[in-house]
Amino acid sequence: MISVLIVVFLICLLLRFPIAFSLGLSCLVYVLLKGIPLIILPAKMYSGIDVFILLSIPGFILSGNLMNHGGLTEKIITFCNHLMGHIRGGLALANIGASMLFAGISGTAVSDTASIGAVMIPAMKKEGYGAGFSCAVTASSSTVGPIIPPSVPMIIAATLSGLSVGRLFLAGALPGFLLGLGMMVVAYYISRKKNYPKHPRSSFKQIALGFLDTFWSLLMTFIILFGIIGGVFTPTEASIIAVFYALVIGTFVYKRLNFKNIGHIVLDSMKTSASLMVLVGFANLFGWILLTERLPQAISENILGFSQNKYMVLLLINILLIFIGTFMETIAALLVLFPILLKVAMAVEVDPIHFAVIAVLNLMIGLTTPPVGVCLFVSSSIGKVSMSEVSKASLPFLAVSFLVLALVTLVPELSLFLPRLFMD
Amino acid sequence: MKQLIEKILKAGTLLSTFGFIGSTLIQIYARFFMDSAPSWTEEASRFFFVYAMSFAAGLALKDNYYVYLDVLYAKLKSPARRLVDISVHLTTIALFMVLGIYAIQYVVLGIPEKSPSLGFPMAVAFVSMVVMSLSIVIYAVYELKSSLNKKHD
């Protein structure tokens, strides 16, 4: 019977049903065939969404959108350009740096690609950077965002496993930083090889002014992070504090928010969140069906039957997650696969926090893995470049991502050092 | 009619959002500046949150916020695309009508059940699932109409 569930889900995906509805339809067909009372649909949907920690998702999305409306993207890019513009390929480095700073504000890779790409891709093309390279840098660096805190995928992982959001946020910081740094090295190497331009060095005053311009938004990330780590706020409370803070800064400091656009931003953020919550609701039912069919145990037995070696198991999981991540939306993939694979990983004594970072990193890499990576699609449409050109240009960045993934998989301390330092 | 529905859903989304932001802010304020935080704030926040998501679910469909795969669809020719669109909208309507009808049963089940701290019948909270289904069905019907009208273009 489980095969019906999976087949209907895949058919719906191919027929261009929204992923959330594909989950719902496959569940409906399964429930009908099994003769389970249909009241399970609204019951599981409601219990899936009615979770206090999930409130932090619209909170972080809303605070990010409020900040962004204050012209934050441009301010962050300008600041990064002052810092790194004088280096060969400075605009590419600024693009990656902006993604790392913007990470604390947005929390989703696709929105990072869209907002930073809209400014950076045309600017890079205008300065003579290759169009494919400009799109590839933007798409690849945007995957750093959801690894560096605050991160929506980490909140989902915490909701599914009962792990501490604060620990997960901290666990993602070093791997995210490492990924960003690795991409900068690649961008610099390519820029030198292709003799991409550099700007005159900015004065200290320009750098200081650029920092002041972005200071308030960067402070928000610190309030969120240290509020959660210090036990001052719960993640949900931190997200609402961030909304309140963004409202005050956007209205009184950046002076770009008013009653009219606040309403518009709130609606926009709630529509994004609702599309995720419908997914979460149906995934709750989907997950329940998988559990009743004992699929997690079956997958666990199969993987562990193949090998009980920790690193071999992690390698298999990595391959599976990257493959799924290329075509499936991150949150959907996490909702369906994370609880199953966490059990397998824990059976070979992988720390759950370490595994959560591995899982999110894998799914992020999937977003830029050709031929279907979603971020590649977004950047290629912004840059008006063919998908094949962007895919080709993204290969060096993909190689760095795989290298960082291997490091994060093999060296648990990269993920566990900060949570142990601050929270033990 | 379409504009009225949109206004209601937007107003519902905005009010519920301000509701969960307000409840959480009261919780934070009470924890820092009062002897103890009231017990109802967390439940009220969740209640408003589920409603905000339910009102916004239909608006999200209208404005194309749901993520889907475009791999096969992009390769189809126009008549085949239209056929796929119509099938997708019809099936979506069916899915959310089933959800909506059984959500009404769920509401009835919630009448005798009281919420732990706010004390109101859980049916009030469960109505959100009816709202969600209805808001999505309405916009799926509009999408279906638009796909059918493409025939005359």
Side-chain angles (χ1 to χ4, degrees), chain A residues 13-21 24-25 28 38-39 41-43 45-46 49-52 54-55 58 62 231-234 236-237 240-241 243-244 263 266-268 270-275 277-278 282 327 329 372, chain B residues 10 13-14 17 20-21 24-25 27-28 31-32 42 45-46 49-50 53 56-57 59-61 63 65-73 84-85 88 91-92 95-96 98-99 102-103 105-106 109 122 125-126 128-129 132:
Chain A
L13 276 187
L14 286 175
L15 286 177
R16 202 174 173 258
F17 276 91
I19 299 175
F21 300 176
L25 277 163
L28 177 64
L38 282 161
I39 200 162
L41 259 80
M45 187 102 188
Y46 183 85
I49 305 172
D50 184 33
V51 179
F52 189 59
L54 288 178
L55 253 105
L62 177 56
V232 184
F233 314 120
T234 64
T236 303
E237 289 172 350
I240 301 300
I241 289 283
V243 169
F244 184 70
V266 170
L267 278 173
D268 181 53
M270 290 311 119
K271 282 185 261 185
T272 308
S273 309
S275 67
M277 288 311 136
V278 174
F282 280 131
F327 62 88
E329 203 263 337
V372 211
Chain B
K10 280 183 176 175
T13 306
L14 286 173
T17 305
F20 78 69
I21 291 174
T24 312
L25 283 175
Q27 180 170 312
I28 299 166
R31 207 148 47 76
F32 283 103
E42 185 184 316
S45 305
R46 282 192 281 117
F49 163 63
V50 178
M53 297 302 104
L59 296 171
L61 181 66
D63 295 330
Y65 277 68
Y66 291 93
V67 182
Y68 47 76
L69 274 186
D70 227 350
V71 188
L72 187 72
Y73 184 86
V84 168
D85 284 341
V88 167
T91 321
T92 303
L95 170 69
F96 283 93
V98 172
L99 182 70
Y102 285 89
Q105 267 193 31
Y106 189 49
L109 276 181
M122 280 308 287
F126 296 161
S128 60
M129 292 297 103
M132 178 186 281

